[in-house]
PDB file of all heavy atoms in Angstrom:
ATOM      1  N   LYS A   1      83.577 170.409  68.140  1.00  0.00           N
ATOM      2  CA  LYS A   1      84.618 170.832  67.260  1.00  0.00           C
ATOM      3  C   LYS A   1      84.572 169.957  66.016  1.00  0.00           C
ATOM      4  O   LYS A   1      83.946 168.867  65.944  1.00  0.00           O
ATOM      5  CB  LYS A   1      85.951 170.835  67.908  1.00  0.00           C
ATOM      6  CG  LYS A   1      86.031 171.839  69.083  1.00  0.00           C
ATOM      7  CD  LYS A   1      87.491 171.738  69.651  1.00  0.00           C
ATOM      8  CE  LYS A   1      87.598 172.682  70.836  1.00  0.00           C
ATOM      9  NZ  LYS A   1      88.902 172.626  71.539  1.00  0.00           N
ATOM     10  N   GLN A   2      85.384 170.352  64.968  1.00  0.00           N
ATOM     11  CA  GLN A   2      85.509 169.488  63.761  1.00  0.00           C
ATOM     12  C   GLN A   2      86.190 168.156  64.108  1.00  0.00           C
ATOM     13  O   GLN A   2      87.377 168.173  64.549  1.00  0.00           O
ATOM     14  CB  GLN A   2      86.351 170.211  62.659  1.00  0.00           C
ATOM     15  CG  GLN A   2      86.575 169.413  61.473  1.00  0.00           C
ATOM     16  CD  GLN A   2      85.356 169.185  60.716  1.00  0.00           C
ATOM     17  OE1 GLN A   2      84.619 170.052  60.335  1.00  0.00           O
ATOM     18  NE2 GLN A   2      85.095 167.881  60.389  1.00  0.00           N
ATOM     19  N   PRO A   3      85.508 166.986  63.965  1.00  0.00           N
ATOM     20  CA  PRO A   3      86.151 165.702  64.267  1.00  0.00           C
ATOM     21  C   PRO A   3      87.304 165.488  63.279  1.00  0.00           C
ATOM     22  O   PRO A   3      87.317 165.962  62.076  1.00  0.00           O
ATOM     23  CB  PRO A   3      85.036 164.706  63.992  1.00  0.00           C
ATOM     24  CG  PRO A   3      83.796 165.510  64.123  1.00  0.00           C
ATOM     25  CD  PRO A   3      84.125 166.838  63.630  1.00  0.00           C
ATOM     26  N   LYS A   4      88.349 164.764  63.723  1.00  0.00           N
ATOM     27  CA  LYS A   4      89.563 164.544  62.917  1.00  0.00           C
ATOM     28  C   LYS A   4      89.799 163.027  62.799  1.00  0.00           C
ATOM     29  O   LYS A   4      89.772 162.282  63.798  1.00  0.00           O
ATOM     30  CB  LYS A   4      90.781 165.228  63.639  1.00  0.00           C
ATOM     31  CG  LYS A   4      90.601 166.721  63.705  1.00  0.00           C
ATOM     32  CD  LYS A   4      91.854 167.384  64.363  1.00  0.00           C
ATOM     33  CE  LYS A   4      91.724 168.864  64.432  1.00  0.00           C
ATOM     34  NZ  LYS A   4      92.902 169.471  65.075  1.00  0.00           N
ATOM     35  N   HIS A   5      90.205 162.643  61.621  1.00  0.00           N
ATOM     36  CA  HIS A   5      90.684 161.315  61.307  1.00  0.00           C
ATOM     37  C   HIS A   5      92.105 161.265  61.628  1.00  0.00           C
ATOM     38  O   HIS A   5      93.013 161.340  60.787  1.00  0.00           O
ATOM     39  CB  HIS A   5      90.407 160.919  59.811  1.00  0.00           C
ATOM     40  CG  HIS A   5      90.623 159.486  59.559  1.00  0.00           C
ATOM     41  ND1 HIS A   5      90.589 158.996  58.236  1.00  0.00           N
ATOM     42  CD2 HIS A   5      90.794 158.398  60.357  1.00  0.00           C
ATOM     43  CE1 HIS A   5      90.795 157.664  58.313  1.00  0.00           C
ATOM     44  NE2 HIS A   5      90.865 157.272  59.564  1.00  0.00           N
ATOM     45  N   ALA A   6      92.427 161.168  62.943  1.00  0.00           N
ATOM     46  CA  ALA A   6      93.785 161.289  63.432  1.00  0.00           C
ATOM     47  C   ALA A   6      94.716 160.086  63.068  1.00  0.00           C
ATOM     48  O   ALA A   6      95.899 160.221  62.839  1.00  0.00           O
ATOM     49  CB  ALA A   6      93.772 161.495  64.908  1.00  0.00           C
ATOM     50  N   LYS A   7      94.125 158.904  63.105  1.00  0.00           N
ATOM     51  CA  LYS A   7      94.821 157.690  62.833  1.00  0.00           C
ATOM     52  C   LYS A   7      93.976 156.857  61.857  1.00  0.00           C
ATOM     53  O   LYS A   7      92.807 157.058  61.760  1.00  0.00           O
ATOM     54  CB  LYS A   7      95.132 156.886  64.059  1.00  0.00           C
ATOM     55  CG  LYS A   7      96.079 157.607  65.017  1.00  0.00           C
ATOM     56  CD  LYS A   7      96.381 156.771  66.263  1.00  0.00           C
ATOM     57  CE  LYS A   7      97.346 157.410  67.248  1.00  0.00           C
ATOM     58  NZ  LYS A   7      97.672 156.642  68.412  1.00  0.00           N
ATOM     59  N   PRO A   8      94.557 155.859  61.153  1.00  0.00           N
ATOM     60  CA  PRO A   8      93.788 155.113  60.158  1.00  0.00           C
ATOM     61  C   PRO A   8      92.546 154.461  60.771  1.00  0.00           C
ATOM     62  O   PRO A   8      91.532 154.360  60.106  1.00  0.00           O
ATOM     63  CB  PRO A   8      94.753 154.007  59.709  1.00  0.00           C
ATOM     64  CG  PRO A   8      96.141 154.678  59.899  1.00  0.00           C
ATOM     65  CD  PRO A   8      96.025 155.512  61.051  1.00  0.00           C
ATOM     66  N   ASP A   9      92.611 154.120  62.083  1.00  0.00           N
ATOM     67  CA  ASP A   9      91.437 153.512  62.681  1.00  0.00           C
ATOM     68  C   ASP A   9      90.767 154.274  63.823  1.00  0.00           C
ATOM     69  O   ASP A   9      90.084 153.712  64.681  1.00  0.00           O
ATOM     70  CB  ASP A   9      91.829 152.041  63.245  1.00  0.00           C
ATOM     71  CG  ASP A   9      92.920 152.132  64.339  1.00  0.00           C
ATOM     72  OD1 ASP A   9      93.560 153.191  64.384  1.00  0.00           O
ATOM     73  OD2 ASP A   9      93.094 151.168  65.036  1.00  0.00           O
ATOM     74  N   GLU A  10      91.070 155.598  63.877  1.00  0.00           N
ATOM     75  CA  GLU A  10      90.596 156.394  64.956  1.00  0.00           C
ATOM     76  C   GLU A  10      90.130 157.740  64.443  1.00  0.00           C
ATOM     77  O   GLU A  10      90.769 158.467  63.673  1.00  0.00           O
ATOM     78  CB  GLU A  10      91.676 156.713  66.023  1.00  0.00           C
ATOM     79  CG  GLU A  10      92.079 155.503  66.784  1.00  0.00           C
ATOM     80  CD  GLU A  10      93.149 155.794  67.869  1.00  0.00           C
ATOM     81  OE1 GLU A  10      93.523 156.968  67.974  1.00  0.00           O
ATOM     82  OE2 GLU A  10      93.510 154.906  68.597  1.00  0.00           O
ATOM     83  N   VAL A  11      88.936 158.111  64.916  1.00  0.00           N
ATOM     84  CA  VAL A  11      88.397 159.430  64.738  1.00  0.00           C
ATOM     85  C   VAL A  11      88.323 160.125  66.129  1.00  0.00           C
ATOM     86  O   VAL A  11      87.681 159.607  67.027  1.00  0.00           O
ATOM     87  CB  VAL A  11      86.978 159.453  64.039  1.00  0.00           C
ATOM     88  CG1 VAL A  11      86.362 160.882  64.085  1.00  0.00           C
ATOM     89  CG2 VAL A  11      87.111 158.944  62.638  1.00  0.00           C
ATOM     90  N   HIS A  12      88.970 161.220  66.289  1.00  0.00           N
ATOM     91  CA  HIS A  12      88.986 161.989  67.532  1.00  0.00           C
ATOM     92  C   HIS A  12      87.907 163.053  67.565  1.00  0.00           C
ATOM     93  O   HIS A  12      87.806 163.870  66.674  1.00  0.00           O
ATOM     94  CB  HIS A  12      90.368 162.659  67.733  1.00  0.00           C
ATOM     95  CG  HIS A  12      91.437 161.642  67.942  1.00  0.00           C
ATOM     96  ND1 HIS A  12      92.686 161.982  68.392  1.00  0.00           N
ATOM     97  CD2 HIS A  12      91.452 160.249  67.861  1.00  0.00           C
ATOM     98  CE1 HIS A  12      93.425 160.877  68.495  1.00  0.00           C
ATOM     99  NE2 HIS A  12      92.749 159.807  68.170  1.00  0.00           N
ATOM    100  N   ILE A  13      87.051 163.003  68.668  1.00  0.00           N
ATOM    101  CA  ILE A  13      85.984 163.892  68.823  1.00  0.00           C
ATOM    102  C   ILE A  13      86.218 164.757  70.068  1.00  0.00           C
ATOM    103  O   ILE A  13      86.496 164.171  71.167  1.00  0.00           O
ATOM    104  CB  ILE A  13      84.652 163.129  68.910  1.00  0.00           C
ATOM    105  CG1 ILE A  13      84.478 162.234  67.639  1.00  0.00           C
ATOM    106  CG2 ILE A  13      83.434 163.984  69.077  1.00  0.00           C
ATOM    107  CD1 ILE A  13      83.470 161.115  67.891  1.00  0.00           C
ATOM    108  N   GLU A  14      86.048 166.080  69.896  1.00  0.00           N
ATOM    109  CA  GLU A  14      86.264 167.021  71.036  1.00  0.00           C
ATOM    110  C   GLU A  14      85.106 167.982  71.072  1.00  0.00           C
ATOM    111  O   GLU A  14      84.591 168.342  70.043  1.00  0.00           O
ATOM    112  CB  GLU A  14      87.555 167.768  70.902  1.00  0.00           C
ATOM    113  CG  GLU A  14      88.785 166.897  71.059  1.00  0.00           C
ATOM    114  CD  GLU A  14      90.057 167.656  71.147  1.00  0.00           C
ATOM    115  OE1 GLU A  14      89.996 168.899  71.507  1.00  0.00           O
ATOM    116  OE2 GLU A  14      91.209 167.121  70.792  1.00  0.00           O
ATOM    117  N   TRP A  15      84.746 168.458  72.307  1.00  0.00           N
ATOM    118  CA  TRP A  15      83.653 169.431  72.451  1.00  0.00           C
ATOM    119  C   TRP A  15      84.032 170.320  73.639  1.00  0.00           C
ATOM    120  O   TRP A  15      84.852 170.020  74.421  1.00  0.00           O
ATOM    121  CB  TRP A  15      82.312 168.715  72.647  1.00  0.00           C
ATOM    122  CG  TRP A  15      82.245 167.931  73.826  1.00  0.00           C
ATOM    123  CD1 TRP A  15      81.761 168.231  75.041  1.00  0.00           C
ATOM    124  CD2 TRP A  15      82.614 166.554  73.985  1.00  0.00           C
ATOM    125  NE1 TRP A  15      81.800 167.141  75.917  1.00  0.00           N
ATOM    126  CE2 TRP A  15      82.354 166.130  75.256  1.00  0.00           C
ATOM    127  CE3 TRP A  15      83.200 165.583  73.051  1.00  0.00           C
ATOM    128  CZ2 TRP A  15      82.598 164.857  75.734  1.00  0.00           C
ATOM    129  CZ3 TRP A  15      83.370 164.323  73.516  1.00  0.00           C
ATOM    130  CH2 TRP A  15      83.128 163.937  74.866  1.00  0.00           C
ATOM    131  N   GLU A  16      83.273 171.390  73.684  1.00  0.00           N
ATOM    132  CA  GLU A  16      83.429 172.412  74.781  1.00  0.00           C
ATOM    133  C   GLU A  16      82.165 172.645  75.470  1.00  0.00           C
ATOM    134  O   GLU A  16      81.020 172.495  74.900  1.00  0.00           O
ATOM    135  CB  GLU A  16      84.031 173.718  74.195  1.00  0.00           C
ATOM    136  CG  GLU A  16      85.381 173.613  73.682  1.00  0.00           C
ATOM    137  CD  GLU A  16      85.877 174.967  73.114  1.00  0.00           C
ATOM    138  OE1 GLU A  16      85.002 175.892  73.050  1.00  0.00           O
ATOM    139  OE2 GLU A  16      87.029 175.000  72.724  1.00  0.00           O
ATOM    140  N   MET A  17      82.201 173.067  76.780  1.00  0.00           N
ATOM    141  CA  MET A  17      81.036 173.519  77.639  1.00  0.00           C
ATOM    142  C   MET A  17      81.354 174.791  78.302  1.00  0.00           C
ATOM    143  O   MET A  17      82.555 175.020  78.704  1.00  0.00           O
ATOM    144  CB  MET A  17      80.705 172.370  78.615  1.00  0.00           C
ATOM    145  CG  MET A  17      80.250 171.094  77.949  1.00  0.00           C
ATOM    146  SD  MET A  17      78.629 171.117  77.215  1.00  0.00           S
ATOM    147  CE  MET A  17      77.611 171.181  78.759  1.00  0.00           C
ATOM    148  N   ASN A  18      80.317 175.575  78.511  1.00  0.00           N
ATOM    149  CA  ASN A  18      80.467 176.839  79.316  1.00  0.00           C
ATOM    150  C   ASN A  18      80.489 176.471  80.798  1.00  0.00           C
ATOM    151  O   ASN A  18      79.828 175.510  81.161  1.00  0.00           O
ATOM    152  CB  ASN A  18      79.411 177.823  78.954  1.00  0.00           C
ATOM    153  CG  ASN A  18      79.516 178.347  77.486  1.00  0.00           C
ATOM    154  OD1 ASN A  18      80.580 178.483  76.965  1.00  0.00           O
ATOM    155  ND2 ASN A  18      78.384 178.623  76.921  1.00  0.00           N
ATOM    156  N   ASN A  19      81.245 177.244  81.522  1.00  0.00           N
ATOM    157  CA  ASN A  19      81.204 177.023  82.967  1.00  0.00           C
ATOM    158  C   ASN A  19      80.304 178.085  83.659  1.00  0.00           C
ATOM    159  O   ASN A  19      80.165 179.137  83.142  1.00  0.00           O
ATOM    160  CB  ASN A  19      82.666 177.197  83.574  1.00  0.00           C
ATOM    161  CG  ASN A  19      83.494 175.991  83.140  1.00  0.00           C
ATOM    162  OD1 ASN A  19      83.053 174.864  83.171  1.00  0.00           O
ATOM    163  ND2 ASN A  19      84.739 176.232  82.845  1.00  0.00           N
ATOM    164  N   PRO A  20      79.617 177.801  84.718  1.00  0.00           N
ATOM    165  CA  PRO A  20      79.732 176.476  85.402  1.00  0.00           C
ATOM    166  C   PRO A  20      78.779 175.403  84.784  1.00  0.00           C
ATOM    167  O   PRO A  20      77.779 175.802  84.152  1.00  0.00           O
ATOM    168  CB  PRO A  20      79.260 176.808  86.807  1.00  0.00           C
ATOM    169  CG  PRO A  20      78.347 177.943  86.656  1.00  0.00           C
ATOM    170  CD  PRO A  20      78.842 178.703  85.458  1.00  0.00           C
ATOM    171  N   ILE A  21      78.925 174.151  85.047  1.00  0.00           N
ATOM    172  CA  ILE A  21      78.025 173.065  84.676  1.00  0.00           C
ATOM    173  C   ILE A  21      76.813 173.001  85.585  1.00  0.00           C
ATOM    174  O   ILE A  21      77.050 173.201  86.817  1.00  0.00           O
ATOM    175  CB  ILE A  21      78.789 171.750  84.636  1.00  0.00           C
ATOM    176  CG1 ILE A  21      79.968 171.785  83.633  1.00  0.00           C
ATOM    177  CG2 ILE A  21      77.882 170.633  84.245  1.00  0.00           C
ATOM    178  CD1 ILE A  21      79.572 171.994  82.213  1.00  0.00           C
ATOM    179  N   GLU A  22      75.641 172.751  85.116  1.00  0.00           N
ATOM    180  CA  GLU A  22      74.445 172.656  85.954  1.00  0.00           C
ATOM    181  C   GLU A  22      74.650 171.614  87.061  1.00  0.00           C
ATOM    182  O   GLU A  22      75.234 170.557  86.861  1.00  0.00           O
ATOM    183  CB  GLU A  22      73.247 172.326  85.093  1.00  0.00           C
ATOM    184  CG  GLU A  22      72.802 173.399  84.126  1.00  0.00           C
ATOM    185  CD  GLU A  22      73.552 173.313  82.732  1.00  0.00           C
ATOM    186  OE1 GLU A  22      74.563 172.536  82.731  1.00  0.00           O
ATOM    187  OE2 GLU A  22      73.120 173.977  81.853  1.00  0.00           O
ATOM    188  N   PRO A  23      74.104 171.931  88.254  1.00  0.00           N
ATOM    189  CA  PRO A  23      74.384 171.007  89.371  1.00  0.00           C
ATOM    190  C   PRO A  23      73.633 169.644  89.170  1.00  0.00           C
ATOM    191  O   PRO A  23      74.069 168.694  89.711  1.00  0.00           O
ATOM    192  CB  PRO A  23      73.674 171.758  90.578  1.00  0.00           C
ATOM    193  CG  PRO A  23      72.783 172.768  89.950  1.00  0.00           C
ATOM    194  CD  PRO A  23      73.438 173.201  88.673  1.00  0.00           C
ATOM    195  N   ASP A  24      72.618 169.593  88.324  1.00  0.00           N
ATOM    196  CA  ASP A  24      71.937 168.301  88.027  1.00  0.00           C
ATOM    197  C   ASP A  24      72.457 167.629  86.755  1.00  0.00           C
ATOM    198  O   ASP A  24      71.785 166.756  86.245  1.00  0.00           O
ATOM    199  CB  ASP A  24      70.388 168.493  87.999  1.00  0.00           C
ATOM    200  CG  ASP A  24      70.011 169.375  86.810  1.00  0.00           C
ATOM    201  OD1 ASP A  24      70.846 170.212  86.315  1.00  0.00           O
ATOM    202  OD2 ASP A  24      68.798 169.350  86.425  1.00  0.00           O
ATOM    203  N   PHE A  25      73.611 168.013  86.284  1.00  0.00           N
ATOM    204  CA  PHE A  25      74.183 167.482  85.066  1.00  0.00           C
ATOM    205  C   PHE A  25      74.538 166.015  85.294  1.00  0.00           C
ATOM    206  O   PHE A  25      75.052 165.669  86.329  1.00  0.00           O
ATOM    207  CB  PHE A  25      75.407 168.313  84.607  1.00  0.00           C
ATOM    208  CG  PHE A  25      75.887 167.970  83.217  1.00  0.00           C
ATOM    209  CD1 PHE A  25      75.352 168.656  82.158  1.00  0.00           C
ATOM    210  CD2 PHE A  25      76.784 167.027  82.996  1.00  0.00           C
ATOM    211  CE1 PHE A  25      75.726 168.355  80.842  1.00  0.00           C
ATOM    212  CE2 PHE A  25      77.230 166.692  81.709  1.00  0.00           C
ATOM    213  CZ  PHE A  25      76.622 167.415  80.614  1.00  0.00           C
ATOM    214  N   LYS A  26      74.216 165.171  84.267  1.00  0.00           N
ATOM    215  CA  LYS A  26      74.383 163.726  84.456  1.00  0.00           C
ATOM    216  C   LYS A  26      75.607 163.166  83.572  1.00  0.00           C
ATOM    217  O   LYS A  26      76.337 162.340  84.086  1.00  0.00           O
ATOM    218  CB  LYS A  26      73.086 163.065  84.034  1.00  0.00           C
ATOM    219  CG  LYS A  26      73.005 161.535  84.358  1.00  0.00           C
ATOM    220  CD  LYS A  26      71.665 161.036  83.979  1.00  0.00           C
ATOM    221  CE  LYS A  26      71.493 159.554  84.340  1.00  0.00           C
ATOM    222  NZ  LYS A  26      70.147 159.020  83.963  1.00  0.00           N
ATOM    223  N   GLY A  27      75.732 163.580  82.321  1.00  0.00           N
ATOM    224  CA  GLY A  27      76.803 163.140  81.565  1.00  0.00           C
ATOM    225  C   GLY A  27      76.572 163.375  80.045  1.00  0.00           C
ATOM    226  O   GLY A  27      75.618 164.061  79.714  1.00  0.00           O
ATOM    227  N   PHE A  28      77.528 162.723  79.236  1.00  0.00           N
ATOM    228  CA  PHE A  28      77.458 162.997  77.712  1.00  0.00           C
ATOM    229  C   PHE A  28      77.223 161.726  77.015  1.00  0.00           C
ATOM    230  O   PHE A  28      77.671 160.571  77.433  1.00  0.00           O
ATOM    231  CB  PHE A  28      78.839 163.564  77.289  1.00  0.00           C
ATOM    232  CG  PHE A  28      79.121 164.909  77.800  1.00  0.00           C
ATOM    233  CD1 PHE A  28      79.960 165.139  78.943  1.00  0.00           C
ATOM    234  CD2 PHE A  28      78.548 166.056  77.224  1.00  0.00           C
ATOM    235  CE1 PHE A  28      80.250 166.347  79.367  1.00  0.00           C
ATOM    236  CE2 PHE A  28      78.771 167.350  77.756  1.00  0.00           C
ATOM    237  CZ  PHE A  28      79.692 167.434  78.742  1.00  0.00           C
ATOM    238  N   ALA A  29      76.475 161.804  75.882  1.00  0.00           N
ATOM    239  CA  ALA A  29      76.265 160.623  74.934  1.00  0.00           C
ATOM    240  C   ALA A  29      76.793 161.023  73.578  1.00  0.00           C
ATOM    241  O   ALA A  29      76.567 162.158  73.132  1.00  0.00           O
ATOM    242  CB  ALA A  29      74.801 160.244  74.906  1.00  0.00           C
ATOM    243  N   ILE A  30      77.426 160.112  72.905  1.00  0.00           N
ATOM    244  CA  ILE A  30      78.031 160.333  71.564  1.00  0.00           C
ATOM    245  C   ILE A  30      77.281 159.448  70.591  1.00  0.00           C
ATOM    246  O   ILE A  30      77.111 158.335  70.783  1.00  0.00           O
ATOM    247  CB  ILE A  30      79.544 160.056  71.478  1.00  0.00           C
ATOM    248  CG1 ILE A  30      80.344 160.568  72.770  1.00  0.00           C
ATOM    249  CG2 ILE A  30      80.167 160.531  70.167  1.00  0.00           C
ATOM    250  CD1 ILE A  30      80.178 162.118  72.823  1.00  0.00           C
ATOM    251  N   SER A  31      76.815 160.086  69.457  1.00  0.00           N
ATOM    252  CA  SER A  31      76.023 159.399  68.430  1.00  0.00           C
ATOM    253  C   SER A  31      76.610 159.622  67.037  1.00  0.00           C
ATOM    254  O   SER A  31      77.310 160.597  66.874  1.00  0.00           O
ATOM    255  CB  SER A  31      74.572 159.869  68.446  1.00  0.00           C
ATOM    256  OG  SER A  31      74.007 159.709  69.747  1.00  0.00           O
ATOM    257  N   ARG A  32      76.352 158.711  66.144  1.00  0.00           N
ATOM    258  CA  ARG A  32      76.840 158.789  64.763  1.00  0.00           C
ATOM    259  C   ARG A  32      75.764 158.412  63.787  1.00  0.00           C
ATOM    260  O   ARG A  32      74.937 157.502  64.060  1.00  0.00           O
ATOM    261  CB  ARG A  32      78.034 157.903  64.687  1.00  0.00           C
ATOM    262  CG  ARG A  32      78.807 158.095  63.320  1.00  0.00           C
ATOM    263  CD  ARG A  32      80.003 157.055  63.166  1.00  0.00           C
ATOM    264  NE  ARG A  32      79.463 155.705  63.135  1.00  0.00           N
ATOM    265  CZ  ARG A  32      79.922 154.761  63.909  1.00  0.00           C
ATOM    266  NH1 ARG A  32      80.947 154.959  64.748  1.00  0.00           N
ATOM    267  NH2 ARG A  32      79.464 153.503  63.796  1.00  0.00           N
ATOM    268  N   SER A  33      75.805 159.034  62.577  1.00  0.00           N
ATOM    269  CA  SER A  33      74.894 158.684  61.509  1.00  0.00           C
ATOM    270  C   SER A  33      75.658 158.935  60.180  1.00  0.00           C
ATOM    271  O   SER A  33      76.663 159.559  60.097  1.00  0.00           O
ATOM    272  CB  SER A  33      73.693 159.598  61.604  1.00  0.00           C
ATOM    273  OG  SER A  33      72.827 159.355  60.416  1.00  0.00           O
ATOM    274  N   ASP A  34      75.064 158.411  59.110  1.00  0.00           N
ATOM    275  CA  ASP A  34      75.616 158.566  57.794  1.00  0.00           C
ATOM    276  C   ASP A  34      75.049 159.842  57.075  1.00  0.00           C
ATOM    277  O   ASP A  34      75.391 160.117  55.931  1.00  0.00           O
ATOM    278  CB  ASP A  34      75.462 157.301  56.956  1.00  0.00           C
ATOM    279  CG  ASP A  34      73.965 156.985  56.674  1.00  0.00           C
ATOM    280  OD1 ASP A  34      73.089 157.561  57.424  1.00  0.00           O
ATOM    281  OD2 ASP A  34      73.694 156.204  55.733  1.00  0.00           O
TER     282      ASP A  34
END
């Protein structure tokens, strides 16, 4: 989803996934670039 600058020192990041999740699912990684 569109990230939000919710507080002066915080950017809130949210995302969605379809169900069901794959049985071999391991986890999420968050990355940033300019």
